[in-house]
Amino acid sequence: MLSMHKAYTIRLEGVVQGVGFRPFVQRLADRFGVCGYVRNTLSGVHIHAETTAKTAEAFWKALFRELPPLARITHADRIPCPAQGLSGFTITESRRTGAQSCLISPDAGICPGCLKELFTSTDRRYLYPFINCTDCGPRFSIIQSLPYDRPNTTMKNFRMCPSCNAEYLDATDRRFHAQPNACPECGPQVELVAGHPAENALPAHILKRAGHRKSTEAVAQTIKLLQKGTIVAVKGIGGFHIACDAFNQTAVRRLRLLKHRPSKPFAVMVKDAAAARKLCRVSALEEKILTSPERPIVILQRKSGMAALEDLAPDNNCLGVMLCYAPLHYLLFSRELSSGKPLACLVMTSGNAADEPIETDNAAALKNLGGICGYFLVHDRDIYNRVDDSIVQVIDGRPVVLRRARGHAPLPFSFDKKLKQTLSCGAELKNTFCLTKGSCAFLSQYIGDLKTRGTYASFDQAVKRLATVFAVKPAVICHDLHPDYLSTRYALEQKAKDPSLKLRAIQHHEAHLAGVITEHRIRGKVIGVCFDGIGYGSDGHIWGGEFFFGDLKRFVRAGHLAYVAMPGGDKATQEPFRMAISYLHRTFGDGMYRLPIDFITAHRDRLEQITRLSRLHPILTSSAGRLFDAVSALAGICDIITYEAQAAIRLQMYAERSKTRAAYDFTFEYCGPAFTMQSNAAIRRIVTALERRVPKETIARKFHTGLAAACRSACEELRRRTRINTVCLSGGVFQNKLFLELTAARLRERKFTVYYNELLPTNDGAIALGQAALANAG
């Protein structure tokens, strides 16, 4: 009797590897009685399926309907092929064939199943710091090449014991083909190491195989040290954290001193959502983000009346909170390893010296962080790809990514067309880069500010590694228009090495706008509002308060904030009082010297020097970020910063404490079709308010409300001219939750459709994706 079975080749492209996809396919095939095999290739997952036509259709639908939690597919096809008369279904060896198109899973927080086993005393992985399965654990941080198999990861150094290997080969097991699978008998271990000679009670060297008992002892000892106020470096999934007891005021202040971080908020880690609610207000959406597999830092509203939080986030209404995401973190908070009351909250700040990349190597961490940390809790699973914590905030009722790293990178953004192989080098601050291939744009993890040799080396290493793993050989390389950015220098160096490369210089704010258009796959023309700190303009001035219209093929700069002197150039970003003096002189001229306000009294000896500097060395800017700085300094909120955007952030914090609906006025001047937004009227009213001793909170709120209303007016004027009804808000100023919400609400009142970055930061972390989009726009 002839067989009624038919055979199909199913090709799945853009499959995220490392999420248990092949085991999922095998279990599905067994359930449906499908014969054949599944294997990884460089182009994705290849399935050979032999069954009846009816069952093949059901199998096909189930593939998409029942995807594993971390799985993703970008393209699939199914074609008939000759039957081979196979019996059973198997996972076969991966092949390095086909055009590379498979994806890499981001690192994922521990799943409920592994968490339960971690604290089950009869489980063989009880208290094991590296427990994982196909639903959780390290992925991007350990992968060295594709396909995603153990020999292509840093787990290749650990040979599975018979018990782990049996799980790995058992299709019914949660660890079936889990590449980082390990246990206390065969996997990585932790050790506590003293970092300073004065505290060298433990060996200063790192033992090769400490054993599980030593590992748990190391964690228990670390807990005791933290409870005593010691600062400890903890090696995690994508790099080191620097940790201390968040409720130990002395330890927190000492960490600020040693890390040269007097005011910038620290992120904290707590065990669970219940612990987070003791510190902050947590909505249902915020809890969902906190407990997601990505486990980002979530910016939450602080509860009032908790003095202990003031040192963690000075003069800030919010606190960055994340939940434990690695098994090791849970052990640090556990009752099982605590001799007394368990830790409740830890500062967990990035493990790096100022402006340097986070440490990933044990020896380098001991060398570079030894002046900060008394002890180091290290492990012997190597980190191949450095990846920091992601940051998310609920803004305008939606999750908005403020830093895209662990849990998100390197998943791609998809285009509707085939792209040239392109490297976009991004900007200088909050740097990310982007590689394009096929229809995918691979945006890198957060790199940091490209200002030091160390960060530049980290950028270069990350570019090479990501290009290698995704087999991208760029034909085009994009860079910012600013000639002094290290990212620009990198692009020029690549061109010098390979003259066949095509270089593309892209204006900073056009790249910002393109990032929003690309993320939301907007078709048609848009009005773009781009407010940020600084960006090199095509006229040679410093832009940052821009209004555009157009699409990816052509943007027209329709208007901007009026130019004002930026005394001392970059020095003005560090000393906002300079911008306040500049705005006052622009508004009042020499009458500035006679203004009866505290700001003039406090800075009288600097007034002439700053105004003379502006005349002799005129640097003009339209930056909205510098306007926020000026108002912050003028109101007596912040006139010198110790971290980026501090003046604007503090201005926002004050504004959030006021409920006034009143606003300061901004006016418009027209020169042909272009306009400038003038701030003179607003500055005059702020000065009047200061003369009358109006509260700082009221001044800050009225400024925010007035500028949001001015943005609406500008967009209404552009809609009248162009008939465009879609507005894209972009640039780092729109990370200001209050200002974004005010602006979006006023635009929606006038029936605009409003977009802004949600899956990637609206700051310079979005520049690289926008550059890639513009380079491929035709």
Side-chain angles (χ1 to χ4, degrees):
M1 185 174 178
L2 293 175
S3 171
M4 300 298 292
H5 281 199
K6 298 181 180 296
Y8 301 89
T9 294
I10 299 174
R11 292 179 299 193
L12 305 173
E13 295 181 3
V15 177
V16 177
Q17 298 203 356
V19 297
F21 192 82
R22 289 174 297 168
F24 156 70
V25 173
Q26 173 155 355
R27 288 192 293 269
L28 205 63
D30 290 345
R31 195 175 91 206
F32 281 94
V34 173
C35 299
Y37 56 84
V38 58
R39 68 162 62 101
N40 276 339
T41 70
L42 292 179
S43 59
V45 172
H46 177 106
I47 302 171
H48 178 83
E50 298 185 7
T51 186
T52 64
K54 182 178 179 180
T55 301
E57 182 65 24
F59 177 71
W60 170 263
K61 290 179 179 178
L63 276 174
F64 299 92
R65 187 177 61 247
E66 302 178 27
L67 281 175
L70 305 179
R72 175 173 171 171
I73 298 171
T74 61
H75 177 75
D77 60 30
R78 175 180 53 164
I79 56 175
C81 67
Q84 300 175 22
L86 301 176
S87 61
F89 195 93
T90 59
I91 295 176
T92 62
E93 188 175 346
S94 299
R95 289 186 179 179
R96 299 185 65 83
T97 58
Q100 192 156 302
S101 69
C102 50
L103 309 180
I104 298 173
S105 169
D107 303 296
I110 187 171
C111 69
C114 285
L115 184 58
K116 181 179 179 180
E117 292 172 351
L118 181 65
F119 291 109
T120 299
S121 60
T122 55
D123 193 276
R124 70 189 192 91
R125 292 185 176 87
Y126 177 57
L127 304 182
Y128 180 56
F130 302 95
I131 187 171
N132 69 87
C133 69
T134 54
D135 292 335
C136 68
R139 298 293 190 274
F140 175 55
S141 60
I142 64 171
I143 193 166
Q144 297 171 309
S145 64
L146 290 173
Y148 177 69
D149 291 318
R150 194 177 182 103
N152 296 331
T153 75
T154 60
M155 285 298 294
K156 64 188 175 187
N157 301 321
F158 302 94
R159 184 172 181 174
M160 283 185 283
C161 66
S163 296
C164 286
N165 194 55
E167 294 169 330
Y168 184 86
L169 298 175
D170 182 356
T172 65
D173 196 281
R174 200 174 76 251
R175 295 184 174 88
F176 182 44
H177 279 251
Q179 303 306 332
N181 190 29
C183 75
E185 298 301 318
C186 63
Q189 302 291 345
V190 300
E191 184 178 0
L192 183 64
V193 181
H196 194 280
E199 299 177 281
N200 198 9
L202 294 177
H205 62 283
I206 301 172
L207 299 178
K208 289 186 177 180
R209 298 299 300 159
H212 185 44
R213 186 177 63 82
K214 290 288 187 182
S215 284
T216 53
E217 288 175 1
V219 178
Q221 182 66 18
T222 301
I223 294 170
K224 289 180 182 178
L225 290 167
L226 290 166
Q227 289 171 332
K228 292 177 181 177
T230 306
I231 298 169
V232 180
V234 179
K235 187 177 181 180
I237 288 179
F240 276 83
H241 285 107
I242 297 176
C244 72
D245 184 351
F247 293 150
N248 186 320
Q249 194 176 64
T250 301
V252 173
R253 291 179 177 177
R254 183 164 176 258
L255 177 56
R256 287 201 175 281
L257 183 67
L258 294 174
K259 211 167 188 286
H260 307 291
R261 188 169 169 165
S263 305
K264 190 175 182 180
F266 282 134
V268 300
M269 177 178 282
V270 293
K271 183 178 179 180
D272 51 31
R277 283 193 291 272
K278 292 179 181 178
L279 306 176
C280 302
R281 296 183 179 90
V282 183
S283 69
L285 178 56
E286 287 166 336
E287 182 170 342
K288 183 178 179 182
I289 301 166
L290 278 169
T291 57
S292 69
E294 293 81 10
R295 295 289 171 96
I297 297 169
V298 182
I299 307 299
L300 300 172
Q301 191 77 19
R302 277 171 46 180
K303 285 187 174 179
S304 58
M306 296 192 67
L309 301 183
E310 188 55 40
D311 284 317
L312 300 175
D315 200 21
N316 200 300
N317 305 336
C318 300
L319 183 67
V321 180
M322 61 179 157
L323 304 190
C324 301
Y325 57 85
L328 181 58
H329 298 150
Y330 277 97
L331 296 181
L332 289 173
F333 287 90
S334 69
R335 291 184 180 277
E336 287 81 353
L337 295 179
S338 300
S339 55
K341 186 178 180 181
L343 290 163
C345 182
L346 289 174
V347 168
M348 281 291 221
T349 190
S350 298
N352 62 309
D355 298 324
E356 296 294 339
I358 58 171
E359 299 294 343
T360 58
D361 177 75
N362 293 337
L366 282 162
K367 176 183 177 183
N368 297 326
L369 302 181
I372 301 173
C373 304
Y375 286 87
F376 292 75
L377 187 62
V378 300
H379 61 72
D380 54 354
R381 184 180 67 203
D382 291 339
I383 297 169
Y384 188 72
N385 293 303
R386 176 184 284 109
V387 57
D388 215 325
D389 297 313
S390 292
I391 304 176
V392 176
Q393 185 173 20
V394 173
I395 301 178
D396 196 28
R398 309 171 192 187
V400 174
V401 174
L402 305 183
R403 184 166 77 194
R404 185 178 183 271
R406 177 184 51 75
H408 295 274
L411 290 177
F413 291 85
S414 297
F415 284 70
D416 293 327
K417 64 178 183 179
K418 187 174 182 179
L419 307 171
K420 293 172 283 189
Q421 294 200 22
T422 305
L423 167 62
S424 300
C425 296
E428 180 175 72
L429 300 179
K430 309 290 187 293
N431 178 268
T432 60
F433 62 86
C434 186
L435 292 161
T436 65
K437 182 181 180 181
S439 61
C440 290
F442 298 96
L443 188 66
S444 77
Q445 70 274 32
Y446 167 82
I447 302 296
D449 296 345
L450 286 184
K451 289 185 173 182
T452 67
R453 184 178 299 175
T455 309
Y456 186 73
S458 176
F459 169 86
D460 179 45
Q461 180 189 75
V463 169
K464 290 175 179 174
R465 289 182 174 181
L466 214 59
T468 298
V469 80
F470 289 121
V472 178
K473 296 182 179 179
V476 180
I477 187 165
C478 308
H479 61 86
D480 194 273
L481 205 58
H482 200 301
D484 295 332
Y485 282 178
L486 286 180
S487 54
T488 300
R489 182 190 302 177
Y490 182 86
L492 297 176
E493 288 175 355
Q494 304 316 302
K495 173 68 173 177
K497 294 176 184 177
D498 182 1
S500 68
L501 277 172
K502 293 182 180 179
L503 274 183
R504 177 85 184 271
I506 293 176
Q507 202 281 319
H508 187 90
H509 302 96
E510 294 186 9
H512 264 303
L513 178 53
V516 182
I517 293 171
T518 302
E519 178 188 333
H520 293 282
R521 306 179 81 161
I522 300 170
R523 293 177 175 81
K525 295 185 177 181
V526 304
I527 294 169
V529 183
C530 187
F531 279 13
D532 72 350
I534 56 172
Y536 196 82
S538 57
D539 61 359
H541 297 317
I542 304 300
W543 292 6
E546 313 306 313
F547 296 88
F548 298 95
F549 67 85
D551 56 25
L552 292 178
K553 293 185 178 179
R554 181 172 181 260
F555 292 131
V556 176
R557 188 191 191 207
H560 56 86
L561 276 168
Y563 284 125
V564 63
M566 189 174 167
D570 286 344
K571 191 76 172 173
T573 66
Q574 301 159 24
E575 298 178 344
F577 70 81
R578 292 171 178 259
M579 292 307 305
I581 293 170
S582 183
Y583 268 97
L584 287 174
H585 193 263
R586 185 181 186 277
T587 303
F588 295 97
D590 288 343
M592 169 186 72
Y593 297 98
R594 298 185 296 276
L595 293 174
I597 57 175
D598 291 344
F599 178 84
I600 292 297
T601 303
H603 295 281
R604 188 170 297 281
D605 60 339
R606 293 168 165 155
L607 299 179
E608 183 59 35
Q609 174 193 358
I610 297 300
T611 53
R612 187 188 309 116
L613 182 63
S614 297
R615 289 193 299 268
L616 295 176
H617 304 284
I619 299 172
L620 298 180
T621 184
S622 59
S623 167
R626 301 291 76 80
L627 175 58
F628 274 78
D629 286 354
V631 174
S632 184
L634 192 55
I637 294 172
C638 182
D639 58 5
I640 296 177
I641 67 170
T642 60
Y643 63 90
E644 187 200 356
Q646 182 181 4
I649 290 170
R650 292 190 64 188
L651 185 69
Q652 174 194 343
M653 296 302 113
Y654 275 77
E656 288 176 348
R657 297 167 193 166
S658 172
K659 300 300 181 184
T660 182
R661 294 177 177 273
Y664 295 132
D665 296 326
F666 289 78
T667 59
F668 295 87
E669 291 184 1
Y670 295 89
C671 181
F675 65 81
T676 56
M677 181 187 290
Q678 300 288 334
S679 61
N680 290 17
I683 296 296
R684 286 184 181 278
R685 290 191 62 188
I686 289 170
V687 168
T688 300
L690 291 170
E691 291 174 356
R692 295 174 178 174
R693 301 291 177 176
V694 172
K696 298 174 184 179
E697 292 82 358
T698 303
I699 293 171
R701 184 72 176 218
K702 291 170 77 172
F703 168 73
H704 277 75
T705 304
L707 188 57
C711 287
R712 177 190 61 195
S713 298
C715 291
E716 286 184 300
E717 171 63 19
L718 290 177
R719 178 167 63 182
R720 185 187 64 79
R721 294 189 209 169
T722 65
R723 299 184 182 276
I724 300 171
N725 198 59
T726 300
V727 177
C728 293
L729 306 175
S730 62
V733 168
F734 284 108
Q735 285 198 171
N736 179 323
K737 173 180 166 69
L738 175 63
F739 183 59
L740 176 58
E741 290 176 343
L742 287 171
T743 305
R746 277 149 184 75
L747 288 167
R748 291 180 186 128
E749 287 171 1
R750 295 295 192 268
K751 308 302 181 185
F752 283 101
T753 301
V754 182
Y755 294 98
Y756 45 82
N757 289 122
E758 297 175 47
L759 299 178
L760 69 159
T762 194
N763 62 26
D764 284 4
I767 290 286
L769 181 64
Q771 290 174 342
L774 290 171
N776 283 277

